[in-house]
Amino acid sequence: FHSVKRLSMLKNQDIKKIINKTLNIDTNDDKETINESLVANVKQFNMNTEYLSDANKSNHLQLYKNYVESFNKISAELDGADKSDSNSNNSAFRSLKIDETYNMNAIYLHEVYFANVNDPNSKITMDSLAYMRLARDFGSFDDWQKDFIACCKASRCGWVVTYYNFYTQTFMNTLIDLHSENVPVGFYPVIVMDVWQHAYYKDYLKDVKTYVVAMMKQFNWNIINKRFEKADKIVKALRG
């Protein structure tokens, strides 16, 4: 049992090294590892869009900062949490772990969303990797758009994400309720739309479709295309 476990760990480490090397990620492997809480930093985003009011954008960015603060507080509490009484019914450790995922996902999804909806001169070319991959896996680029908008309309309160699925080995659309419900396993996001009501209600009331179409008109395809390129690199690394 122990030898199998060690072999599995070595394989996981090797996979991480391959991915990090492929994506040119510096992991500081030679430095001594210190066990301490994770810390998220607030990133700066220029929401250069005319389809959202200044008040809406300011409120949304502040909400993002609140998630960062909450995550850092939870992370610090987890660092010293008592794991001895962990259980599935009434456990402080369990509650912290659930809140950790909730706030961590909120940070990441907001950052990916802010970065991909800020191009007033948005355009995508048919020879771009993003266009070709979406056309390949959805039948056509228009079919991807229709499916993406349908997911946005179907969302109860959360996110719609175009992602690469490492299981099906295709790009798919999914809708995430809140920040952490219905998140697919083997998930690498390339396009993200915030469909929480706070993202659009101040400017669009209940008209989520008009909001979504407006945001899609300002997708930053340069940034999105780089995400598709990374997805391709990860796939090649995993295939060896």
Side-chain angles (χ1 to χ4, degrees):
F1 173 77
H2 294 292
S3 62
V4 172
K5 185 176 181 180
R6 290 194 201 99
L7 179 60
S8 177
M9 290 175 65
L10 285 173
K11 286 183 177 179
N12 288 336
Q13 291 170 358
D14 290 342
I15 289 172
K16 289 180 181 179
K17 287 180 180 178
I18 291 171
I19 293 174
N20 290 333
K21 183 177 180 180
T22 302
L23 300 181
N24 297 317
I25 298 173
D26 181 11
T27 58
N28 296 319
D29 288 335
D30 296 332
K31 295 183 178 180
E32 184 178 354
T33 300
I34 301 175
N35 291 326
E36 58 182 10
S37 57
L38 297 171
V39 177
N41 296 311
V42 173
K43 296 180 181 179
Q44 300 301 315
F45 294 95
N46 178 19
M47 294 188 69
N48 188 22
T49 173
E50 61 188 23
Y51 293 115
L52 296 174
S53 64
D54 289 340
N56 191 324
K57 288 184 278 189
S58 176
N59 177 69
H60 207 167
L61 289 169
Q62 183 57 52
L63 188 68
Y64 157 68
K65 292 177 183 178
N66 292 344
Y67 285 124
V68 173
E69 292 174 3
S70 295
F71 173 79
N72 289 337
K73 180 180 178 182
I74 292 164
S75 182
E77 291 179 16
L78 273 169
D79 197 38
D82 181 7
K83 302 178 180 65
S84 62
D85 68 343
S86 176
N87 64 82
S88 61
N89 295 327
N90 181 22
S91 168
F93 179 75
R94 171 184 162 81
S95 296
L96 285 170
K97 290 301 292 183
I98 291 172
D99 289 345
E100 177 188 43
T101 300
Y102 182 87
N103 286 277
M104 179 173 57
N105 283 9
I107 295 169
Y108 183 45
L109 289 167
H110 273 103
E111 290 177 351
V112 180
Y113 164 73
F114 289 150
N116 69 205
V117 291
N118 63 1
D119 187 2
N121 301 311
S122 174
K123 67 176 181 179
I124 182 171
T125 59
M126 295 179 68
D127 61 349
S128 67
L129 184 63
Y131 187 99
M132 291 189 290
R133 291 290 182 266
L134 292 173
R136 178 196 69 187
D137 291 344
F138 287 86
S140 71
F141 183 78
D142 286 345
D143 285 337
W144 165 75
Q145 291 186 98
K146 292 174 182 177
D147 191 86
F148 190 85
I149 292 170
C151 286
C152 290
K153 291 166 64 179
S155 173
R156 291 173 179 169
C157 194
W159 302 85
V160 169
V161 181
T162 301
Y163 71 101
Y164 186 81
N165 187 310
F166 292 105
Y167 179 69
T168 64
Q169 299 184 29
T170 60
F171 288 95
M172 302 177 67
N173 289 328
T174 191
L175 48 98
I176 298 170
D177 288 334
L178 304 179
H179 299 309
S180 53
E181 295 184 11
N182 309 318
V183 181
V185 175
F187 169 95
Y188 181 79
V190 291
I191 304 173
V192 172
M193 182 68 70
D194 190 340
V195 281
W196 280 74
Q197 288 189 342
H198 64 246
Y200 61 88
Y201 195 85
K202 185 182 289 290
D203 296 326
Y204 295 91
L205 298 178
K206 295 187 293 182
D207 191 358
V208 63
K209 181 179 179 180
T210 299
Y211 153 74
V212 168
V213 171
M215 292 297 98
M216 291 175 73
K217 289 178 180 177
Q218 297 196 336
F219 271 157
N220 189 322
W221 287 104
N222 290 327
I223 288 176
I224 292 171
N225 204 62
K226 290 178 181 178
R227 295 174 186 164
F228 276 85
E229 291 172 356
K230 277 192 175 183
D232 266 18
K233 289 181 179 179
I234 293 172
V235 172
K236 290 177 182 177
L238 292 175
R239 289 176 178 172

